[in-house]
Amino acid sequence: MSNLPLYVITFLAYSVLAVYFWRAQSAGSIDVLNRGMIGHAVLLPLALHAYLLYGNLFSGGDLNLGLINALSLILWLTMLVYWVARFFYPIASLQTLVLPLAAVGALLPALFPAVHPLTNNLSFILEAHILAAMLAYSLFTIAVLHAGLMSLVEKRLHHATLPRVLQGLPPLLTMETLLFRIIGAGFVLLTLTLVSGVVFSDQLFGKPWQFNHKMLFGFISWCVFAVLLLGHHYKGWRGRTAVRWTMSGFIFLLLAYLGTKFVLEVLLHR
């Protein structure tokens, strides 16, 4: 593979930054580090990752959105959203946790090349549908990471001890506020994805809309997040309740797309 050295460089760049950030996190100086030049250095692996992704997604003029490429794209978007959000929220510690995942995501397409191009005639509707879907997955990936961290921090606080690496995390209230804003944005994008999939099925997939397993799990996930947002707004749901509903919605979302891709590409070899 001609781009193999670039894959390795991208992986190493993410990995070196991950180690650097983790050490700063343990030393309690992560926010200072993130506001300096090292914080901007994340743009280097992000740019390299984007270049590799573009080559994989549009190789030969076809859209190649297989399982591995989709995972890599979701992790890249997740890393990008975190990098941008750090200018508005004190979430440098959370960005630290995503760097190792982004490193793995950047290397996956080199280890498992995708072989299932989707189409070579991309319409604006299809491009918008795919973009909305990938952004929704990325935002909900961030949300589930948030929820998991909130749950871990809350449990450790009950024992009056926090591991040093978790002591630099934002306050739970800040994390909770950001969690519901991320879920809200992801919910809007998920709604657009489902609606466009139903209304423009002929233009997107070349056939009338069909209620299949992918659509079923997608609608179940949408319902879970809708109930969570309504419960938070009207009933004040938060804490463990919010974490459980976020995890549940994300699992259904994984089954809707990545689970279907796994069965088709890995188990059935289609």
Side-chain angles (χ1 to χ4, degrees):
M1 181 179 294
S2 59
N3 278 332
L4 184 57
L6 198 55
Y7 280 106
V8 175
I9 291 172
T10 306
F11 172 79
L12 290 176
Y14 273 133
S15 300
V16 168
L17 285 170
V19 172
Y20 209 95
F21 272 54
W22 273 99
R23 288 182 174 177
Q25 176 91 350
S26 300
S29 58
I30 184 62
D31 285 324
V32 175
L33 174 73
N34 197 43
R35 287 193 295 267
M37 289 301 297
I38 295 298
H40 296 293
V42 176
L43 284 175
L44 173 62
L46 270 175
L48 293 175
H49 193 173
Y51 173 79
L52 293 170
L53 267 175
Y54 183 84
N56 287 323
L57 292 172
F58 299 100
S59 58
D62 296 334
L63 176 61
N64 200 329
L65 198 61
L67 174 64
I68 298 301
N69 282 344
L71 278 172
S72 185
L73 177 59
I74 289 169
L75 288 171
W76 178 80
L77 285 169
T78 302
M79 191 68 234
L80 178 64
V81 169
Y82 261 117
W83 187 83
V84 173
R86 77 191 179 98
F87 291 104
F88 307 97
Y89 299 95
I91 58 169
S93 302
L94 302 177
Q95 185 182 349
T96 303
L97 302 178
V98 182
L99 279 166
L101 298 176
V104 175
L107 194 59
L108 280 176
L111 301 176
F112 307 99
V115 292
H116 298 285
L118 197 135
T119 180
N120 58 2
N121 295 310
L122 295 180
S123 66
F124 172 77
I125 296 176
L126 179 58
E127 290 177 343
H129 175 81
I130 293 172
L131 178 61
M134 291 299 100
L135 284 173
Y137 271 98
S138 299
L139 289 173
F140 285 124
T141 299
I142 297 173
V144 81
L145 288 172
H146 255 69
L149 277 172
M150 286 171 58
S151 179
L152 178 62
V153 170
E154 186 177 11
K155 288 179 181 178
R156 299 296 295 186
L157 284 175
H158 287 311
H159 294 86
T161 59
L162 269 180
R164 192 170 185 83
V165 74
L166 296 179
Q167 290 178 5
L169 289 175
L172 276 175
L173 185 59
T174 299
M175 292 181 66
E176 186 177 87
T177 300
L178 183 56
L179 172 67
F180 279 101
R181 290 184 179 179
I182 291 171
I183 291 175
F187 181 77
V188 171
L189 290 168
L190 181 59
T191 302
L192 292 174
T193 302
L194 294 174
V195 170
S196 63
V198 173
V199 176
F200 301 108
S201 182
D202 279 331
Q203 294 94 320
L204 290 172
F205 312 115
K207 57 184 178 181
W209 178 73
Q210 296 178 341
F211 191 75
N212 51 28
H213 291 85
K214 181 178 177 180
M215 192 62 69
L216 172 63
F217 286 123
F219 274 114
I220 293 175
S221 176
W222 184 90
C223 290
V224 170
F225 285 117
V227 172
L228 171 58
L229 290 172
L230 289 172
H232 175 68
H233 183 75
Y234 291 105
K235 300 291 185 180
W237 288 0
R238 53 186 303 179
R240 294 181 181 179
T241 301
V243 169
R244 286 196 294 266
W245 280 84
T246 302
M247 296 287 188
S248 300
F250 185 73
I251 289 172
F252 284 116
L253 196 61
L254 284 180
L255 291 174
Y257 182 75
L258 296 181
T260 303
K261 283 286 186 182
F262 177 81
V263 172
L264 290 176
E265 296 181 18
V266 178
L267 301 183
L268 300 180
H269 303 287
R270 293 183 184 177

